[in-house]
Amino acid sequence: GEDVEQSLFLSVREGDSSVINCTYTDSSSTYLYWYKQEPGAGLQLLTYIFSNMDMKQDQRLTVLLNKKDKHLSLRIADTQTGDSAIYFCALQTGSARQLTFGSGTQLTVLP
Amino acid sequence: DTGVSQDPRHKITKRGQNVTFRCDPISEHNRLYWYRQTLGQGPEFLTYFQNEAQLEKSRLLSDRFSAERPKGSFSTLEIQRTEQGDSAMYLCASSLVGQGNTGELFFGEGSRLTVL
């Protein structure tokens, strides 16, 4: 099955950029997603990228997709304390279009 | 609020008891998914419905688990004879799959199960 890997932790200073990385094994996904989860809350869709795109920008968020290396990244510009959360990359797989998630990256924004 | 709602938000039960969770998806969404999330992990797919039909179940869904979506709207997930390993957050998501949309999943806030 699909394997999705993320580093567990990332700390940045407020105002800096954050880059969260994700690698995967199955290249057949049509859509690749980034979700945000705050403590005790459900998953909030942040952005997604279609598999035939290399880059997508959405306000402070930039998604880069390198299909050759099977690498997806999320850059958050001007990171704020409110961005502290767990970030999950997810790939749409299978006939059910279910999502396969990475284990999440805990982003901590330091003042 | 027209998002996905789940009930109850928290459930504490003793080992061996049965529990049932309910999910109300976004109205007119034709797909409904159940996921399980344990501490420090991403959500794992359990099963999904297209309208009222349950079309796929993962290997994680043991015989003690049963899900229904009787009228193609709300869904229930029942766990019989709960075990401590069932302790997790159970997440429901819904989507509208069809021409011209991405089928993105909208998640509820989850039902946290603690089995003592």
Side-chain angles (χ1 to χ4, degrees):
Chain A
E2 176 70 78
D3 224 4
V4 183
E5 300 282 339
Q6 297 180 242
S7 52
L8 292 180
F9 302 101
L10 176 66
S11 290
V12 299
R13 292 271 177 207
E14 192 174 12
D16 288 349
S17 292
S18 310
V19 179
I20 302 170
N21 295 301
C22 174
T23 58
Y24 56 93
T25 55
D26 183 351
S27 56
S28 65
S29 300
T30 306
Y31 291 97
L32 301 92
Y33 299 84
W34 284 102
Y35 280 85
K36 176 183 180 183
Q37 187 175 40
E38 295 181 88
L43 294 156
Q44 175 195 353
L45 177 65
L46 285 178
T47 186
Y48 66 90
I49 188 167
F50 191 50
S51 59
N52 69 354
M53 298 169 65
D54 297 324
M55 185 181 87
K56 179 180 179 182
Q57 187 147 7
D58 186 357
Q59 299 181 344
R60 291 190 299 125
L61 305 178
T62 303
V63 180
L64 294 177
L65 175 60
N66 181 330
K67 290 183 286 293
K68 176 174 168 290
D69 294 339
K70 299 181 183 176
H71 182 266
L72 180 72
S73 68
L74 174 70
R75 178 177 179 270
I76 306 173
D78 187 26
T79 314
Q80 302 298 306
T81 53
D83 295 323
S84 292
I86 301 175
Y87 290 79
F88 293 95
C89 69
L91 276 62
Q92 195 177 68
T93 58
S95 59
R97 298 201 205 177
Q98 71 267 33
L99 298 180
T100 300
F101 286 85
S103 54
T105 299
Q106 170 83 57
L107 174 64
T108 301
V109 182
L110 305 170
Chain B
D1 183 52
T2 57
V4 178
S5 62
Q6 294 188 243
D7 182 71
R9 293 290 312 280
H10 303 275
K11 178 73 177 178
I12 300 173
T13 192
K14 291 184 180 177
R15 192 174 46 149
Q17 297 295 303
N18 299 344
V19 296
T20 299
F21 301 115
R22 176 181 169 122
C23 171
D24 287 90
I26 294 172
S27 60
E28 295 175 2
H29 274 192
N30 50 11
R31 285 201 179 175
L32 186 148
Y33 300 79
W34 284 99
Y35 283 79
R36 182 180 73 183
Q37 185 179 21
T38 52
L39 200 62
Q41 298 296 317
E44 297 170 293
F45 170 74
L46 291 179
T47 187
Y48 94 102
F49 293 82
Q50 172 85 21
N51 300 313
E52 66 276 8
Q54 187 174 17
L55 296 185
E56 190 163 330
K57 296 190 234 184
S58 88
R59 293 170 300 177
L60 295 175
L61 212 68
S62 78
D63 292 344
R64 296 183 297 105
F65 287 69
S66 62
E68 293 182 346
R69 194 184 183 198
K71 296 180 182 177
S73 56
F74 74 91
S75 175
T76 57
L77 176 68
E78 181 184 17
I79 309 173
Q80 296 183 322
R81 304 181 303 282
T82 52
E83 301 172 356
Q84 287 181 323
D86 297 332
S87 294
M89 176 80 86
Y90 290 86
L91 293 164
C92 176
S94 68
S95 70
L96 179 63
V97 175
Q99 199 167 14
N101 57 67
T102 67
E104 70 183 73
L105 271 61
F106 294 83
F107 282 84
E109 294 192 335
S111 293
R112 181 170 295 285
L113 173 65
T114 301
V115 182
L116 302 176

